[in-house]
Every structure is written in C-alpha cells, then in structure tokens.
Amino acid sequence: PPAPKKPRNAYLHFAAEVRPTLLSGGGGKMSIGEVSKALSLLWAGTNEEEQIKYKELADQEKLDYQEKYTKWEASCQEILVQTRKNPGNNPKPKQRRGSEAKKKDTSLPPAPKKPRNAYLHFAAEVRPTLLSGGGGKMSIGEVSKALSLLWAGTNEEEQIKYKELADQEKLDYQEKYTKWEASCQEILVQTRKNPGNNPKPKQRRGSEAKKKDTSLPPAPKKP
C-alpha cells in the first residue's frame, strides 16, 4: 500500500494560508519566483508568537502522520509475512527486453543527458528560494510537494518561459544525440573491421583452461 504523506512543517502551513491573499494582492501577475520570495520574507518577519499557530498545526499533522505510518507499517509487515508463507503466489519480476536488458557497453561514449521538461526547469529555478524560506529544514518530500503545488498554481502565461527553455534544451539534445549516434556507429564499424584490436577474453586457470589434445590417441581404460 502507498505510504502516508509526510507532514508539512510550520512554514508550509503558513505558505498555504498566505499564498491566496498574496496572489490576489498582486493582481494575479506575480511569478512563482516572486511569490516564493515574498512568502520567505513574510515568514522571516514573523515573531515566535505569530508562528505558534502554524507550529501547532505542524505538530498535530505530525502526530496524525505517525499514527497513519504505524498502521501502514503494520500492514506492510502483515503482507510480507503472508508473502513468505505463500511464496508461490508472488508474481515473478518482469525481465527487461531488448537493449535495456543488455549490459552497458563501456567502449562507447556516454549518451547525452535527456532534456528536462518545463516543470523541471521551473523546479530548478524556484527550489533555492523555497529552501531558504524554509530555513533549510525542509525534507526532500516537503520540497517536492511544495514545488508541485506552486507549479499547479501557475497559469499558461507564467509557464511560457519554462516551456521555451524546455523546447530549446530538447533541440540541443536532438543535435547532440544525432552526433553521438553517428559516433557510436563509426566505432562499431571500426570494431568489425579490426576485430584483432578487441581485448581478448580472460582465460580460465587450472583444469578448466586446459584444452583436450585431439592429436593423441585415447588412453586405455583403467582396470
């Protein structure tokens, strides 16, 4: 079963409450980066008394999470016990087919990295501001959740910048991939032309390495 969602910290509860007011006050024209920066500045300007409300929400959500996690963990343990009792009912792992199943050929140059989509470009830009606003105490799960919420709140106009970056990176990738593919083809052709340059396989030692000498007559059978 899927694990329960991790609890939000005080800053994320504060951001969830303040963000709608912030967006409406900005006339809906604030970028994601501007919203994140404004939230971090507003949070930094709060005092201990003002933060109590959000810390209590975070503590309560943490308790709820711990309760759900305990139940989830017990459920997983029960499933594992049943699985060990009935191993024949376990589905066999799927085998990879085609080129994915083959081991990487280290003689070929590494393939270029695949291009990022618009969301990943957005995340790369906003993540530093988000981390600084959270005081550096946000977990990876909390950061990912906050980024997805921020991205979901963007409109088409705000996403244009990141889509253009993604399109440009995709073009660069296609150009690099074409060159890489041609380079691999050239290496493979040269390998076939000059098989003697290929490294020889390691010979086994001991009795396995000795080949049968067919030039000698067979020895008589032992009594």
Side-chain angles (χ1 to χ4, degrees):
K5 292 182 179 179
K6 289 187 177 181
R8 294 170 292 177
N9 60 18
Y11 170 73
L12 288 178
H13 280 282
F14 164 81
E17 181 182 294
V18 177
R19 187 182 294 106
T21 307
L22 195 64
L23 288 171
S24 62
K29 296 181 180 180
M30 294 178 72
S31 67
I32 297 300
E34 290 171 336
V35 171
S36 300
K37 189 173 183 179
L39 286 171
S40 64
L41 290 172
L42 287 170
W43 176 253
T46 59
N47 55 41
E48 287 292 329
E49 187 177 352
E50 291 171 326
Q51 292 179 7
I52 289 175
K53 170 186 174 181
Y54 307 106
K55 289 180 178 179
E56 288 177 349
L57 287 170
D59 290 340
Q60 184 58 52
E61 194 167 286
K62 187 177 181 180
L63 289 173
D64 294 341
Y65 167 77
Q66 289 172 340
E67 183 180 351
K68 290 177 182 177
Y69 186 87
T70 301
K71 292 179 179 179
W72 171 79
E73 195 173 28
S75 176
C76 290
Q77 287 295 334
E78 186 177 349
I79 291 171
L80 289 172
V81 169
Q82 292 299 322
T83 302
R84 293 190 186 102
K85 286 182 179 179
N86 304 295
N89 296 332
N90 299 338
K92 294 181 179 179
K94 293 181 179 179
Q95 293 182 348
R96 294 183 177 181
R97 297 179 181 178
S99 58
E100 291 182 359
K102 297 178 181 178
K103 293 182 179 179
K104 292 182 179 179
D105 190 343
T106 55
S107 64
L108 298 177
K113 290 183 180 179
K114 290 185 177 181
R116 294 169 292 177
N117 57 22
Y119 170 72
L120 290 178
H121 279 281
F122 159 81
E125 181 182 294
V126 177
R127 186 180 289 107
T129 307
L130 194 63
L131 288 171
S132 62
K137 297 180 180 180
M138 295 176 72
S139 67
I140 294 174
E142 289 171 338
V143 172
S144 299
K145 187 174 182 179
L147 286 171
S148 63
L149 289 171
L150 288 169
W151 176 252
T154 60
N155 54 38
E156 288 292 328
E157 187 177 353
E158 291 171 327
Q159 292 179 8
I160 289 175
K161 169 186 174 181
Y162 307 105
K163 288 180 178 178
E164 287 176 349
L165 288 171
D167 290 340
Q168 183 58 51
E169 194 167 286
K170 187 176 181 180
L171 290 173
D172 295 341
Y173 167 78
Q174 289 172 341
E175 183 180 349
K176 291 177 182 177
Y177 186 87
T178 301
K179 292 179 180 178
W180 171 80
E181 195 172 28
S183 175
C184 290
Q185 287 295 334
E186 186 177 349
I187 291 171
L188 291 172
V189 168
Q190 292 297 324
T191 302
R192 293 190 189 101
K193 285 182 179 179
N194 304 297
N197 294 332
N198 299 338
K200 294 180 180 180
K202 293 181 179 179
Q203 292 184 349
R204 295 181 180 178
R205 296 179 180 179
S207 59
E208 293 180 0
K210 296 178 181 179
K211 295 181 179 179
K212 291 182 179 179
D213 192 343
T214 55
S215 63
L216 297 176
K221 291 182 179 180
K222 291 183 178 181

